[in-house]
Amino acid sequence: MALNRREFLKSAAAASAASAVGIAVPSSLEAAASDAQKGWRWDKAACRFCGTGCGIMLATKNGRIVAVKGDPAAPVNRGLNCIKGYFNAKIMYGADRLKTPLLRMNDKGEFDKHGKFRPVSWQRAFDEMEKHAKKALKASGPEGVAVFASGQYTVMEGYAAQKMMKAGFRSNAIDPNARHCMASAVVGFYQTFGIDEPSGCYDDIEITDTIVTWGSNMAEMHPILWSRVTDRKLSDPDRVKVVNIQTYTHRTCDLGDFNIIFSPSTDLAIWNYIAHEIVYNHPEAIDWDFVKENIVFTAGPVNIGYGMRRKGEKSITPVRPDGSAGKYTAKEMETINKEMAKKVSAKEAPALAPYGYKEGDIMKNNPGTLKHWHISFEEYKKSLEPFTLDYVAKIAKGDPNEPLEDFKKKLKMLADLYIEKGRKVVSFWTMGMNQHTRGTWVNTLSYNVHFLLNKQALPGNGAFSLTGQPSACGTAREVGTFCHRLPADMMVKNPKHRAITEKKWHIPAGTLNPVGNQHIMKIHRDIEDGVVKFAWVNVCNAYQDSASAKHWIKAARHMDNFIVTSDGYPGISAMVSDLVLPSAMIYEKWGAYGNAERRTQHWRQQVLPVGDAMSDTWQWAEFSKRFTVKDLWGPYTLRNGKKLADVRKDAKKLGYNDDTTMFEILYANDRAKKYKIDLNKFPQKGYDNSECIGDSRNVTGEDGKVFKGYGFMIHEYLFEEYASFGRGHGHDLAPFEVYHKVRGLKWPVVDGKETQWRFNVKYDPYAAKAAKAAGSKSTHAFYGPLAKNLLQGTLTGPDKKLGKKSLKNKAKIFARPYMDPPEMPDENYDTWLCTGRVLEHWHSGTMTMRVPELFRAVPEALCYMNPKDAKAKGVKRGELVWVESRRGKVKARVETRGRNRPPQGLVFVPWFDEKVFINKVCLDATCPMSKQTDYKKCAVKITKA
């Protein structure tokens, strides 16, 4: 029987799906599928979306991606995709893809900040960028040139951007949107382990007995992992327990044996309650052999503020009699003033008592610090004393309609599951714990419980941070595209680390800037203060994804600066910009991502980019041709008075001259040219490579000539040079070619083998080596090198008389109290606001809102509200309301049913919809230690629109 095209495609899809899950396929269906797929080329790749790191298979035909399916050989997803994953192809073919550079110009063809966007050549685009970058350098030095980077960069893109910013411009004002997603987890890892990234892996799901989610809607944010959790639960429903700890009920809660709805920020108290239960009521549960061998107890200051603007900053000066200050209203300043000092509340006073505070005290805040010191177990025990079941239940209960006794029973059940001898426990979290004004604290508290019980870095046991973005680990963290970092866990402030980097990059000693404090919110604030004059948005949507967004948009549009956005589509950031550059999207370029379990995955370019779009790697390399040794490597004085030396004479000793370009030094050097183009050899054979050999579109480069390619394998060069930083140092990566043969490998990759459980002597070669060197017979070695030589003291501070103590190979348990967030509901703003994502859309919706099927499924962001709140405020389901904070307001449609079910007093509004621009409403408070923004809690009022 003849099949039409639609039936052919349906047959092909059905056959692929059946084979992926091992179902026998009828011969007629298999034949139809084979016929439908004639001429298709299949190749492996990584999914474009979340940090899960699913493997996919892409089919191309006639220069276009025609099909996507889950990769049955991929160990992460085992052939499955989530709903977004199946539309990886369609995100590339929206009707309004950017195809040519666009510059704001007047009718004379001149750049005009208030002009209209008009198409220009790449050469003209780079002309303008060069002019304004040099203007910014002249006005503000390296701190005047900034990049909004991304956890969605490929590894090569992030590394290319970092080299030009830190080695070329000598600027550390490059910070990824990953700062918004997992910076608190990173600082938690550093402080606890002395090194970044999780110790466990996804295999823990199938091994554990207990999954506890903390502020993580895994069912929608990490759906493939949740399918594995669901499978584990159903495989042994009596033994396996699932508990969800959330501020509102959502789809993840549907699987829970019980769910705990807590009041925002009180997760700090709940973790301390579990530790209190262990230390005070079940001391026999503490594995003292493990603790004495591997763990130390530590504390740090509590008066660290909330990561907001501080007194004296330009944009909050002068302070006026009405309470307003600079560019901020009196209402905004009500919250911002708490950055300088706050009154200790009745709610937090008991938790702060061991640190010397009582209710009504004025706590004077100092800017957030990473400082901490060694304390005794007795001091740690003292810090836990307030966290009794009665106190924690009283302050943490998040549903006002839940009986207190029921809530207390759940807390006790939770503690019992952790404490139960022989029960394996995995604690998962994402933004709920990370986007938190005490995000670093709450991350460290998670390890406390697991350490006390010896349930960390063991198969089926561990606290595990799930990453939000596809390469927030691989590119933002491992590559080091944060303002304070260098590759492989090295830091810009460390002179030894700078020296290692300068040597590998073959640049003069003293080139790198030691001051790395321009995190993503500071870049926004520096633009508003007039310090940053040139900012480039890469692979993110910085003007939609930042809290208190109206401030940053106003500064970008009305101040003396030049804003550039590279993107595939015209989102809010593009609309805010002065120049828009068309970027190649994921499968239009070679790339690599690193997922949440340390798995590095590579893919090849599948198709040519649309129009004149080019990859971000190419954009950085072309831009670098505009700057020479003479332009960038002279002397500078930074804001703090620190001086960057003139290194031009030293550059000549390395063989450069004044006119040597950064392109020649950083990207097209002799080391790079050793990576040959060989189109007859795997993995290059049969695949496009727009950067290395050019392509049939004949795109013009920065010089106005047709770009014919660099003539060497720049992707392999960038990856291999980056990988060289970590090999032999606990971040070992496999060779470039190997990743094109396998479905990713979890680093460290030693002798060709990946590592599943880090710090465990049995599974981690580095742990085994460290334990042997120390003459230890311990099962673990926490070999991270950072902050392992501490002063000793008490909860209230260090005592220099006691001297320092080496903590080599040890991890840390931290004393951290509960503290209120800076903004809580009151009589004027009586409702908590929480933001986040939904299953069907990715971050700012720039890609997924252009997929018809996903748009139809969820066409707008809704204001999810408790039905009792809606009735009290006189609104019904489907009606419009204003969601208003001290910073602004947006209009949204009310939803009182369905997937998200808030308790009374809280609303949830996702942020994917630029028409419901909820980040105008959010507070730009951050964890003062990690600088991660807290999008999960601010105070709003709801009124009928």
Side-chain angles (χ1 to χ4, degrees):
M1 183 177 72
L3 296 176
N4 62 31
R5 179 178 179 278
R6 181 177 177 82
E7 288 167 333
F8 262 128
L9 293 175
K10 287 171 69 177
S11 298
S16 293
S19 62
V21 294
I23 299 174
V25 181
S27 57
S28 59
L29 185 64
E30 198 165 19
S34 179
D35 198 13
Q37 296 180 22
K38 277 182 181 176
W40 289 12
R41 180 189 70 187
W42 288 97
D43 196 28
K44 75 176 182 72
C47 178
R48 174 60 179 79
F49 299 111
C50 76
T52 299
C54 293
I56 62 172
M57 298 296 292
L58 295 170
T60 55
K61 184 177 182 180
N62 298 328
R64 190 177 174 94
I65 297 175
V66 294
V68 179
K69 63 182 179 182
D71 183 356
V76 171
N77 53 310
R78 305 165 183 178
L80 295 177
N81 280 348
C82 77
I83 187 64
K84 291 190 295 295
Y86 287 115
F87 289 106
N88 266 288
K90 283 199 172 185
I91 63 172
M92 298 171 62
Y93 300 121
D96 60 342
R97 266 293 298 269
L98 293 167
K99 297 179 180 179
T100 189
L102 301 170
L103 176 68
R104 289 188 184 274
M105 294 192 290
N106 59 27
D107 292 337
K108 296 178 183 179
E110 303 164 329
F111 166 66
D112 184 341
K113 197 164 179 72
H114 303 291
K116 294 180 179 178
F117 283 118
R118 291 183 167 89
V120 293
S121 66
W122 278 107
Q123 183 180 33
R124 176 68 191 282
F126 287 123
D127 284 345
E128 294 292 339
M129 290 173 70
E130 176 191 355
K131 180 173 74 175
H132 286 93
K134 287 179 176 176
K135 179 182 174 183
L137 284 168
K138 186 175 181 180
S140 302
E143 292 161 307
V145 175
V147 170
F148 292 104
S150 179
Q152 298 168 63
Y153 272 142
T154 67
V155 166
M156 296 77 150
E157 287 168 344
Y159 187 66
Q162 175 174 229
K163 285 192 81 175
M164 183 57 195
M165 282 298 288
K166 293 178 180 176
F169 290 122
R170 308 177 76 179
S171 172
N172 292 322
I174 174 172
D175 211 54
N177 59 356
R179 177 74 69 176
H180 294 315
C181 115
M182 34 39 68
S184 294
V186 173
V187 182
F189 282 123
Y190 277 148
Q191 292 223 315
T192 303
F193 299 98
I195 194 170
D196 193 12
E197 303 278 358
S199 52
C201 59
Y202 297 161
D203 295 349
D204 287 324
I205 295 171
E206 282 75 27
I207 301 169
T208 195
D209 306 312
T210 319
I211 293 101
V212 185
T213 70
W214 291 78
S216 177
N217 186 358
M218 286 179 70
E220 295 200 57
M221 305 310 116
H222 297 84
I224 295 302
L225 293 183
W226 194 242
S227 72
R228 290 175 62 170
V229 170
T230 302
D231 182 64
R232 175 64 183 135
K233 170 65 180 172
L234 297 178
S235 71
D236 191 355
D238 293 331
R239 173 65 180 169
V240 175
K241 302 298 179 185
V242 176
V243 183
N244 302 291
I245 305 170
Q246 316 291 346
T247 59
Y248 61 94
T249 303
H250 45 59
R251 286 180 173 175
T252 299
C253 299
D254 295 343
L255 187 68
D257 287 272
F258 61 93
N259 302 300
I260 294 173
I261 304 300
F262 70 96
S263 178
S265 253
T266 61
D267 45 357
L268 290 157
I270 295 173
W271 276 117
N272 275 316
Y273 159 69
I274 300 170
H276 177 279
E277 192 71 7
I278 296 167
V279 170
Y280 280 87
N281 297 329
H282 293 277
E284 75 285 353
I286 300 174
D287 187 331
W288 277 112
D289 290 339
F290 171 82
V291 170
K292 287 177 180 178
E293 183 71 30
N294 297 289
I295 305 298
V296 296
F297 297 90
T298 48
V302 297
N303 59 329
I304 59 176
Y306 299 100
M308 297 182 285
R309 281 193 173 277
R310 290 195 64 81
K311 184 179 180 181
E313 291 184 14
K314 188 173 180 181
S315 291
I316 56 171
T317 305
V319 178
R320 304 181 189 90
D322 67 355
S324 66
K327 298 175 182 179
Y328 289 75
T329 66
K331 287 183 179 179
E332 289 176 294
M333 291 305 298
E334 287 175 6
T335 303
I336 292 173
N337 284 332
K338 293 178 184 177
E339 177 62 23
M340 279 56 81
K342 59 158 287 180
K343 183 183 288 189
V344 174
S345 74
K347 184 176 181 180
E348 65 190 347
L352 289 169
Y355 301 85
Y357 291 94
K358 62 182 183 302
E359 182 182 350
D361 282 353
I362 301 299
M363 178 184 286
K364 292 184 178 180
N365 291 324
N366 297 314
T369 177
L370 301 179
K371 181 180 177 182
H372 56 282
W373 51 87
H374 179 77
I375 61 172
S376 66
F377 172 72
E378 288 70 25
E379 285 289 297
Y380 171 67
K381 185 175 181 180
K382 189 193 301 182
S383 79
L384 296 177
E385 189 174 358
F387 294 97
T388 63
L389 180 58
D390 287 340
Y391 170 62
V392 173
K394 180 182 176 183
I395 67 168
K397 187 168 74 75
D399 181 353
N401 298 312
E402 181 177 17
L404 183 62
E405 288 305 311
D406 290 355
F407 187 73
K408 289 168 73 171
K409 286 178 184 176
K410 289 180 182 178
L411 291 181
K412 184 66 169 61
M413 289 163 60
L414 174 68
D416 288 346
L417 286 174
Y418 276 100
I419 293 168
E420 183 183 327
K421 190 174 178 60
R423 173 170 287 279
K424 298 174 182 177
V425 186
V426 175
S427 304
F428 283 123
W429 68 89
T430 46
M431 301 310 105
M433 271 173 50
N434 293 340
Q435 291 177 343
H436 198 310
T437 51
R438 291 294 181 267
T440 300
W441 285 12
V442 74
N443 269 265
T444 59
L445 288 177
S446 68
Y447 302 116
N448 291 2
V449 168
H450 283 268
F451 282 150
L452 287 169
L453 301 168
N454 190 9
K455 294 186 179 184
Q456 179 69 30
L458 290 164
N461 275 308
F464 196 126
S465 165
L466 292 171
T467 315
Q469 296 185 81
S471 202
C473 291
T475 307
R477 294 158 74 170
E478 294 157 25
V479 170
T481 49
F482 282 88
C483 66
H484 64 291
R485 288 181 73 162
L486 293 166
D489 269 355
M490 295 196 297
M491 303 292 172
V492 299
K493 71 177 182 180
N494 187 316
K496 292 182 180 178
H497 293 174
R498 294 197 304 277
I500 291 168
T501 306
E502 286 163 346
K503 186 175 181 180
K504 282 193 180 289
W505 287 352
H506 206 60
I507 60 177
T511 301
L512 294 180
N513 181 346
V515 181
N517 60 14
Q518 286 176 279
H519 55 86
I520 209 161
M521 289 312 307
K522 186 163 177 58
I523 292 173
H524 277 304
R525 293 166 187 168
D526 278 350
I527 294 173
E528 188 175 51
D529 287 349
V531 175
V532 169
K533 302 285 189 182
F534 177 94
W536 190 358
V537 179
N538 283 191
V539 206
C540 66
N541 196 348
Y543 285 92
Q544 186 176 340
D545 72 21
S546 291
S548 199
K550 70 176 185 179
H551 276 278
W552 325 130
I553 290 174
K554 185 177 180 180
R557 291 301 308 127
H558 299 293
M559 294 185 68
D560 177 23
N561 52 46
F562 191 76
I563 311 296
V564 184
T565 290
S566 296
D567 206 341
Y569 290 104
I572 285 179
S573 294
M575 298 301 183
V576 166
S577 296
D578 302 302
L579 174 66
V580 181
L581 304 179
S583 284
M585 293 185 71
I586 180 169
Y587 310 119
E588 297 169 340
K589 58 194 175 187
W590 291 65
Y593 279 163
N595 81 343
E597 61 167 353
R598 296 172 277 109
R599 182 179 299 277
T600 308
Q601 302 181 80
H602 284 231
W603 66 89
R604 299 180 279 199
Q605 183 177 341
Q606 302 296 316
V607 292
L608 297 184
V610 302
D612 286 342
M614 292 296 285
S615 75
D616 291 75
T617 299
W618 181 88
Q619 291 176 37
W620 275 104
E622 292 295 283
F623 190 40
S624 73
K625 293 176 179 179
R626 299 300 187 99
F627 299 90
T628 65
V629 167
K630 180 173 60 180
D631 293 330
L632 301 182
W633 283 359
Y636 293 103
T637 301
L638 304 177
R639 278 180 288 183
N640 66 356
K642 191 175 287 288
K643 295 184 183 297
L644 298 185
D646 185 337
V647 297
R648 290 173 292 188
K649 287 183 179 179
D650 291 329
K652 291 177 182 178
K653 296 175 184 176
L654 294 174
Y656 310 136
N657 59 51
D658 280 351
D659 296 322
T660 306
T661 67
M662 291 299 132
F663 175 71
E664 296 168 282
I665 295 170
L666 302 177
Y667 305 116
N669 50 58
D670 291 340
R671 304 182 306 284
K673 291 175 181 176
K674 291 178 181 177
Y675 293 90
K676 304 296 184 182
I677 298 295
D678 189 345
L679 301 180
N680 295 312
K681 182 184 174 185
F682 177 87
Q684 298 176 39
K685 186 177 180 180
Y687 286 84
D688 292 310
N689 198 326
S690 295
E691 296 92 335
C692 298
I693 59 174
D695 61 48
S696 59
R697 295 172 302 148
N698 291 323
V699 173
T700 60
E702 61 84 29
D703 57 1
K705 298 176 183 178
V706 172
F707 179 71
K708 296 294 187 181
Y710 295 128
F712 60 92
M713 191 60 176
I714 192 170
H715 316 292
E716 187 172 7
Y717 161 61
L718 291 171
F719 179 79
E720 286 295 332
E721 185 178 87
Y722 149 64
S724 71
F725 282 93
R727 290 175 180 148
H729 303 286
H731 278 76
D732 306 64
L733 295 167
F736 179 85
E737 185 176 315
V738 168
Y739 287 109
H740 287 282
K741 297 177 180 177
V742 301
R743 264 56 177 185
L745 293 169
K746 296 187 287 288
W747 61 263
V749 181
V750 181
D751 297 329
K753 296 179 181 179
E754 65 181 5
T755 299
Q756 290 175 287
W757 290 278
R758 289 170 85 205
F759 314 124
N760 187 312
V761 169
K762 183 177 179 180
Y763 301 97
D764 182 347
Y766 280 94
K769 182 180 177 182
K772 184 177 180 181
S776 169
K777 294 183 179 180
S778 174
T779 55
H780 292 75
F782 297 101
Y783 51 80
L786 297 177
K788 289 296 182 75
N789 192 24
L790 298 180
L791 286 169
Q792 300 177 71
T794 66
L795 289 176
T796 55
D799 186 345
K800 291 182 180 179
K801 294 177 184 177
L802 296 176
K804 288 190 173 183
K805 188 173 183 179
S806 174
L807 314 176
K808 190 175 182 180
N809 287 342
K810 294 182 184 291
K812 301 167 192 168
I813 284 176
F814 278 89
R816 309 285 205 195
Y818 162 76
M819 287 186 72
D820 294 337
E823 191 171 274
M824 303 172 71
D826 56 25
E827 62 274 11
N828 296 316
Y829 299 91
D830 61 354
T831 301
W832 285 111
L833 167 69
C834 179
T835 61
R837 293 195 281 118
V838 294
L839 170 67
E840 294 81 359
H841 290 295
W842 172 245
H843 280 198
S844 61
T846 312
M847 294 177 289
T848 52
M849 287 289 273
R850 287 166 169 85
V851 175
E853 293 87 345
L854 297 177
F855 176 81
R856 285 196 298 268
V858 183
E860 64 179 325
L862 302 172
C863 177
Y864 291 91
M865 185 185 300
N866 188 282
K868 292 181 179 178
D869 282 339
K871 184 177 181 180
K873 295 178 187 302
V875 295
K876 295 178 181 177
R877 180 174 182 249
E879 291 185 337
L880 292 170
V881 293
W882 287 109
V883 182
E884 182 177 355
S885 73
R886 290 170 171 84
R887 292 154 294 282
K889 63 181 182 178
V890 297
K891 198 182 290 185
R893 199 173 305 281
V894 170
E895 177 58 88
T896 56
R897 302 182 198 165
R899 62 175 75 182
N900 299 306
R901 292 148 276 169
Q904 278 189 270
L906 184 144
V907 295
F908 170 75
V909 183
W911 67 280
F912 67 84
D913 188 352
E914 62 185 41
K915 293 177 181 176
V916 183
F917 194 176
I918 195 62
N919 281 340
K920 291 193 299 183
V921 175
C922 293
L923 174 65
D924 63 315
T926 71
C927 168
M929 301 169 80
S930 71
K931 318 303 181 189
Q932 179 165 354
T933 316
D934 188 344
Y935 295 90
K936 297 302 178 187
K937 58 193 80 73
C938 71
V940 298
K941 57 184 175 184
I942 309 294
T943 55
K944 191 170 183 177

